[in-house]
Amino acid sequence: MRPRDLRLLPLAAAVWCVALFCVFVPGSAWGSAAICGIAAVSVLGAFWWRRRHGGLHAGAGLLMVTLAAGAAVAMSTGFASPARDRIAEWDGRVVEVVAAVTSSASTGQDGRLWFEAVSIDVGPPGQARPLAAPVRIGIDPADGFDLGARIRVTGEAAATDAGERSALVVFGGEAEVVSPAAGVFGAAAALRLAFVERSLRLPDPGSGLLPGLAVGDTRAVTQELTDDMRTSGLSHLTAVSGANCAIVVGAVFWLTALCGGGRMLRVVLAAMALAGFVVLVTPEPSVIRASVMAGVAMLTVLLGRPTAGAGMLALCVVGILLADPWLAATPGFALSVVASGALILLAPPLSRGMTRWMPAPVALAIAVPLAAQLACGPIIALFAEQQSLIGIAANLLAAPAAPVATVMGLLACLAAPIPPLADLLTASAWLPAAWIATTATTTAQLPVAQILLPAGLASALLVLVVSASLAAVLIARRGAFRPRIARAIALARQGAAGVLIVVLSLAGAHLVLSGPLASSTAPDGWSIAACDVGQGDALLVRSAGQVALIDTGPEPGPLAECLASLGIQHVDLLVLSHFDLDHVGGTAAVFGKVDAVLHGPTAEPADERLLDDLVAGGARLTPASAGLRGRLGSAAWRVLWPIRDSAAFPPGNDASVVVDFDGGGVPRSLFLGDLAAEPQRMLLRTVRLGTYAVVKVAHHGSADQDPGLYEAVRATAAIFSAGAENDYGHPRDAALDMLTAAGAHNLRTDTQGRILLGIRDEELQVWTER
């Protein structure tokens, strides 16, 4: 087998590093371009001199090209920076933006419809002036805009941090279409819309997922299915990246070959099909990368050099970064490139190594998703807390259905002008889509589906060590080496095996302690628990065998782990203080496990949908307002806030449900939701509070607090529920000092993990995880 040509990989790595430096260090672009340019000219001079006098070094040409490419990407950044700086000056102001839509839309966690665009005019409402720069816009989900449309949006603007691809984020209110998508983009939009409508007429599961699999339109995918796809490692199937482009190109190649077409005809037809596919699904950054890579791969086939894939990938990376240097800082682009590189470089040796234990076709089928997961895992750990452990198995189960759903869905989309044929093709594509949806839902519920690690460099290094160790063990040693090198390789493999043994032992212990022995890790005497769910609230109160849960945190995973560690399988009373994501985002973890729900005022359709899901699981709903009372086991609870039908405090933080508990073995405790200082003062004036043993500090310990309230309640312990190193700086030093001055002992989930409190011999007992 011919060896892989890896000579161009340093070129791509160097250009990527230059792009990262230029976009993360504003103002450095032209200086970097000058340094790289001068260095390139110097190397060129040395190249010319050495060529005349002999002894030319083989790497001189590659070094010169690398420096020239670095200068080019720095210049590209420099030319784009002035417009980005000008539009960033609108930070914190209300602006009117006329922009051209450049991506498909997706529903964000805030309920808005988000998409990328390039501004045309920017300015105060009614006074917009020409200015072109990349922006990200969020609008009412009732509105929808397609690639190529020109829209006008008025909203509050926020400048982005250095390195982000969009220079400005606009939180839009109402939006209007200045001119709809026209030409090929308009036709593609009409085909997509007809396909989505036709798909949604089919039953779940699979109806909402089918447009995502075929054309990358994920607006109809529920949040629950999105979470399950992410947990099971199947979310790439709706990202329209390398896998989808490969399916399209492979299908056209196969059909052309079946009809007797030669290599040139196959490449030409595949290129035409790929171009049409990119227009149909909208040219997202990942689609651009994938389509360019597929085009270059076809070129390698045409030239008869399939082993040049790594070099071609490197050229793709350089070309794309020259066009848009800010892609260097986007996780999606990095994952896309790394996954492609893993399939080219890592999958073949993994497959050969695993043939020691299994047939070659099975080894290859496992090696493809395994290579992608091993390579992408460290990058995922930099930005996300979830690491899928079931991804390889889920991808193997979904693999037969993905090409069928993609190809049949695309044909159904293209057949929209012929309704009977489109209906038949859509129905045919629904079955594999339903299979993938069921696979995601089923595998995501397995107890070992994922592991949670704090996002950051330390977790990325840990995952890198484990991934490299697994690859070292699986890859078979090939060829003869000198004794010293052979011993070094053997020692490295033994070290990798040792790492895996330690990791598997720790994972097994964690599985046992978080499963059958979960409740044994918690003291029996707790009655209040503050779960460590990141930047959010999730607190438990227990009395006489009954349990209340106050808010659910930002994600289901951390809440589910906390409940399992405490042996909680059922929630008698769920209190949703308000409907911000950091308080209700994890509610899916308790669907079907709740008897009664107390909830704050709703404001958005998404709030009502969440309550409907709880009702579908058997829960009874009660809108919370001051004066409402009840019992939890032997303890009594009462709602202190909000005031019924109050117009002074609209739904949200200031209308948070405030509840207290007393008796039945529960320390007298007060849970303040996210109240700001003004409603805290109103609460103090309207309710006779008395003193409390425990207070859950409002709004994660923000600075917007009323000292008078905390002086009045004189709590022994103050709970701050916040995420480690969160962007808000919670809890603030002012809030910590205020509670200390009020005589409270501060307890923080960001530094101490899960916090448990109880009463023993009339004294408050505290247990912390760290």
Side-chain angles (χ1 to χ4, degrees):
M1 180 172 26
R2 296 176 62 183
R4 303 284 179 181
D5 188 349
L6 308 179
R7 290 174 295 175
L8 292 179
L9 293 185
L11 169 64
V15 170
W16 202 320
C17 289
V18 173
L20 283 173
F21 180 75
C22 291
V23 301
F24 276 109
V25 184
S28 65
W30 291 112
S32 300
I35 293 172
C36 291
I38 292 171
V41 172
S42 301
V43 172
L44 179 61
F47 182 90
W48 177 80
W49 188 86
R50 297 284 291 181
R51 186 176 183 182
R52 293 192 61 182
H53 295 82
L56 181 65
H57 193 278
L62 178 60
L63 178 59
M64 184 182 66
V65 172
T66 301
L67 291 169
V73 78
M75 291 174 63
S76 178
T77 309
F79 283 123
S81 293
R84 296 173 62 92
D85 294 340
R86 286 174 56 197
I87 201 170
E89 294 174 357
W90 292 98
D91 179 36
R93 300 160 66 180
V94 175
V95 297
E96 177 184 296
V97 178
V98 178
V101 179
T102 59
S103 78
S104 59
S106 60
T107 303
Q109 293 182 331
D110 60 354
R112 285 188 171 93
L113 205 61
W114 289 93
F115 53 86
E116 307 290 337
V118 174
S119 65
I120 300 171
D121 299 315
V122 180
Q127 303 177 37
R129 296 290 182 268
L131 179 58
V135 295
R136 182 165 176 79
I137 299 175
I139 60 173
D140 190 301
D143 300 316
F145 304 102
D146 295 299
L147 180 77
R150 290 191 174 190
I151 63 168
R152 179 180 287 107
V153 179
T154 300
E156 184 175 349
T160 60
D161 296 329
E164 294 196 30
R165 190 163 182 258
S166 298
L168 195 72
V169 177
V170 180
F171 298 87
E174 295 186 3
E176 64 173 315
V177 178
V178 176
S179 59
V184 293
F185 292 124
L191 289 174
R192 285 198 306 273
L193 179 61
F195 177 57
V196 171
E197 292 177 347
R198 184 168 280 110
S199 299
L200 292 180
R201 292 200 293 264
L202 296 170
D204 283 328
S207 60
L209 184 62
L210 180 54
L213 295 170
V215 295
D217 192 320
T218 59
R219 284 176 287 183
V221 182
T222 64
Q223 186 60 48
E224 292 78 14
L225 182 55
T226 299
D227 293 338
D228 289 343
M229 294 280 286
R230 186 183 302 112
T231 300
S232 60
L234 296 176
S235 56
H236 64 93
L237 295 178
T238 58
V240 189
S241 53
N244 305 75
C245 291
I247 290 170
V248 172
V249 171
V252 175
F253 258 64
W254 178 75
L255 287 173
T256 307
L258 193 64
C259 296
R263 177 185 292 175
M264 177 66 76
L265 181 60
R266 280 180 257 169
V267 171
V268 171
L269 291 180
M272 294 174 61
L274 184 60
F277 175 71
V278 170
V279 171
L280 181 63
V281 303
T282 71
E284 307 272 13
S286 60
V287 177
I288 293 173
R289 195 281 316 158
S291 61
V292 170
M293 183 60 196
V296 173
M298 286 188 292
L299 181 61
T300 64
V301 173
L302 182 63
L303 297 176
R305 296 194 60 192
T307 58
M312 293 303 179
L313 175 62
L315 291 178
C316 290
V317 171
V318 172
I320 292 173
L321 291 180
L322 285 173
D324 189 350
W326 277 267
L327 281 176
T330 58
F333 180 71
L335 289 171
S336 187
V337 173
V338 169
S340 297
L343 297 181
I344 294 171
L345 300 174
L346 185 56
L350 282 176
S351 177
R352 289 193 298 269
M354 288 189 291
T355 54
R356 291 172 288 176
W357 308 296
M358 61 188 71
V362 177
L364 180 60
I366 296 176
V368 169
L370 178 60
Q373 185 152 337
L374 291 179
C376 293
I379 298 177
I380 294 173
L382 281 172
F383 305 99
E385 294 182 344
Q386 291 178 320
Q387 286 285 328
S388 177
L389 300 181
I390 202 68
I392 298 172
N395 275 276
L396 287 174
L397 290 172
V404 178
T406 299
V407 173
M408 297 298 290
L410 279 173
L411 294 175
C413 187
L414 296 173
I418 310 174
L421 178 60
D423 289 338
L424 177 61
L425 292 171
T426 303
S428 301
W430 172 85
L431 183 59
W435 171 262
I436 294 172
T438 303
T439 299
T441 302
T442 303
T443 56
Q445 304 306 315
L446 296 176
V448 293
Q450 66 178 354
I451 186 172
L452 298 178
L453 295 173
L457 184 60
S459 295
L461 291 175
L462 174 62
V463 175
L464 177 62
V465 169
V466 175
S467 297
S469 300
L470 182 59
V473 169
L474 293 178
I475 294 175
R477 194 183 77 181
R478 303 183 68 205
F481 298 96
R482 294 178 180 178
R484 183 178 299 177
I485 297 177
R487 284 196 298 270
I489 294 175
L491 287 174
R493 289 170 61 86
Q494 291 172 6
V499 169
L500 293 180
I501 291 172
V502 171
V503 170
L504 291 174
S505 300
L506 292 174
H510 173 76
L511 181 62
V512 171
L513 292 176
S514 62
L517 302 180
S519 58
S520 66
T521 63
D524 292 333
W526 73 270
S527 54
I528 297 175
C531 294
D532 181 13
V533 293
Q535 183 62 17
D537 277 7
L539 299 106
L540 293 154
V541 179
R542 182 177 70 168
S543 176
Q546 292 193 348
V547 174
L549 172 63
I550 304 169
D551 291 329
T552 63
E555 296 179 352
L559 176 61
E561 185 172 348
C562 181
L563 294 176
S565 70
L566 295 172
I568 304 299
Q569 299 179 349
H570 185 78
V571 175
D572 299 279
L573 175 66
L574 172 63
V575 180
L576 298 178
S577 65
H578 60 298
F579 289 88
D580 285 355
L581 181 68
D582 57 337
H583 291 257
V584 300
T587 308
V590 293
F591 282 159
K593 303 176 182 178
V594 177
D595 285 342
V597 178
L598 284 176
H599 63 88
T602 59
E604 304 290 341
D607 306 343
E608 298 290 347
R609 290 195 296 270
L610 177 63
L611 295 177
D612 291 342
D613 289 339
L614 287 166
V615 171
R620 304 183 308 276
L621 302 182
T622 303
S625 60
L628 194 63
R629 296 173 181 268
R631 300 198 67 82
L632 178 78
S634 303
W637 58 261
R638 60 173 179 161
V639 176
L640 309 179
W641 190 268
I643 300 172
R644 185 186 300 274
D645 300 327
S646 173
F649 301 104
N653 288 352
D654 291 346
S656 294
V657 176
V658 175
V659 62
D660 71 0
F661 288 82
D662 190 16
V666 178
R668 192 161 192 263
S669 47
L670 176 65
F671 301 86
L672 290 169
D674 273 3
L675 289 194
E678 182 56 36
Q680 287 178 26
R681 284 190 284 270
M682 178 70 76
L683 173 66
L684 184 60
R685 290 195 297 266
T686 57
V687 179
R688 186 175 179 178
L689 293 174
T691 60
Y692 289 87
V694 180
V695 60
K696 199 291 294 185
V697 180
H699 205 182
H700 321 291
S702 74
D704 192 13
Q705 309 282 348
D706 176 39
L709 174 66
Y710 296 99
E711 291 173 2
V713 301
R714 292 161 46 192
T716 303
I719 299 174
F720 292 84
S721 183
E725 300 180 359
N726 62 83
D727 295 336
Y728 305 96
H730 294 160
R732 296 294 182 91
D733 289 340
L736 292 166
D737 293 343
M738 178 187 65
L739 267 298
T740 300
H745 178 70
N746 293 334
L747 302 170
R748 303 170 49 172
T749 60
D750 60 329
T751 58
Q752 295 171 289
R754 186 188 65 190
I755 298 166
L756 304 177
L757 302 98
I759 296 177
R760 182 177 182 182
D761 298 330
E762 299 184 357
E763 289 186 354
L764 186 66
Q765 303 289 307
V766 179
W767 300 270
T768 60
E769 187 175 13
R770 295 191 292 271

